[in-house]
Amino acid sequence: MTRALLFDCDGVLADTERDGHLPAFNETFEHLGLPVRWSADDYARVLRIGGGKERLASLLTPEFVERAGLPDDEEAQRAAIAEWHAEKTRRYTAKVRAGEMPGRPGIARIADEAHDAGWLLAVASTSAEESVRAVLEHVVGPEAASRFAVFAGDVVPRKKPAPDIYELALRELRVSADDAVVVEDSANGLRAAVAADLATVVTTSSFTVDEDFAGAALVVDSLGDLPDAPSRVLADPRGVGPLDLVDLGTLVALTH
């Protein structure tokens, strides 16, 4: 039997939304002279939309288009969104490479445990592949990152909460949903994983802590690293706790 451990990127590998994506979006808006700046509350609402380009496209109300002096035709607007997103990705990736976003507790540890036990590893994210690979290398190191398959960006037509990216990952990895576990941090990501029939561990992050995680196999504040950052269980519907660390044994129990 081959098992697989699949991670979302943003909010799971690192708290990238708060420390990376939001400031990179706002720096991009300022750099391009766009009449918008997202507050933390604004961004929490925008995060309900899957994908960076899709979040940018949500700005394009008639009023915004007029205020920003943007073209009216859809093709030109799509080109503008692609330009904005590329600029934002450059700025975000620079923040990752500068070490501004530390990895979340337990990620490197459990990736090593899974690899040593013969599990396949993957990241499945709606973020741009360049951004995902930068975060992955920063969090687990280049050697460990090379063990991961990466499914990211526009590789599927529908983004989370649609299950497409997880279904693609399972096909490409040739693993049954019964033999895989997902680590997510958002309700959208959880819905995508559950729709693909995947057992899902939720590790809450800055922008998702108050979301509805009904359907998760386990909800924790982090995977945990001892002794300094133990995991705190927030919901345990399958009764795998009590625990202060989510380890490979925990994940195996969730797939039964």
Side-chain angles (χ1 to χ4, degrees):
M1 175 197 306
T2 300
R3 296 186 184 272
L5 177 55
L6 289 73
F7 298 89
D8 177 42
C9 178
D10 297 311
V12 170
L13 301 184
D15 207 342
T16 53
E17 301 292 5
R18 178 193 64 195
D19 299 329
H21 286 292
L22 176 55
F25 273 120
N26 282 332
E27 289 171 13
T28 297
F29 298 151
E30 183 176 2
H31 173 74
L32 297 174
L34 294 170
V36 60
R37 181 176 179 83
W38 282 333
S39 67
D41 288 342
D42 293 333
Y43 194 59
R45 289 189 291 271
V46 171
L47 277 177
R48 297 169 188 163
I49 302 168
K53 288 191 287 292
E54 290 77 5
R55 291 166 190 159
L56 288 168
S58 72
L59 292 169
L60 298 181
T61 63
E63 294 77 15
F64 183 86
V65 168
E66 180 179 1
R67 195 163 71 250
L70 299 173
D72 293 327
D73 67 284
E74 291 184 5
E75 184 175 348
Q77 289 180 0
R78 282 195 295 271
I81 291 294
E83 176 190 344
W84 302 351
H85 190 255
E87 178 65 26
K88 177 261 174 182
T89 298
R90 285 191 291 272
R91 291 175 178 271
Y92 171 80
T93 303
K95 292 179 181 297
V96 175
R97 305 246 184 246
E100 295 180 21
M101 286 160 277
R104 294 197 64 198
I107 296 297
R109 171 186 57 76
I110 206 163
D112 283 343
E113 289 179 17
H115 171 73
D116 291 346
W119 289 42
L120 301 178
L121 297 168
V123 178
S125 171
T126 57
S127 291
E129 182 174 347
E130 178 185 2
S131 298
V132 172
R133 290 191 182 277
V135 174
L136 182 61
E137 289 188 8
H138 173 66
V139 171
V140 303
E143 181 179 353
S146 69
R147 304 166 181 161
F148 283 73
V150 173
F151 307 94
D154 298 324
V155 293
V156 290
R158 299 185 304 162
K159 296 188 177 180
K160 300 174 185 178
D164 299 33
I165 198 156
Y166 284 120
E167 292 171 345
L168 173 66
L170 291 174
R171 288 196 303 272
E172 293 292 319
L173 296 172
R174 299 182 181 180
V175 173
S176 163
D178 292 337
D179 297 323
V181 180
V182 170
V183 183
E184 272 283 359
D185 77 304
S186 69
N188 263 359
L190 170 63
R191 287 198 293 271
V194 169
D197 294 323
L198 288 158
T200 307
V201 176
V202 170
T203 59
T204 58
S205 60
S206 295
F207 283 105
T208 69
V209 65
D210 295 322
E211 293 184 0
D212 179 5
F213 297 120
L218 178 67
V219 182
V220 292
D221 65 346
S222 77
L223 297 181
D225 274 325
L226 298 178
D228 297 327
S231 178
R232 182 166 61 94
V233 175
L234 305 177
D236 183 16
R238 300 196 185 179
V240 296
L243 49 86
D244 54 11
L245 197 72
V246 177
D247 60 15
L248 211 57
T250 311
L251 301 188
V252 170
L254 294 176
T255 63
H256 289 167

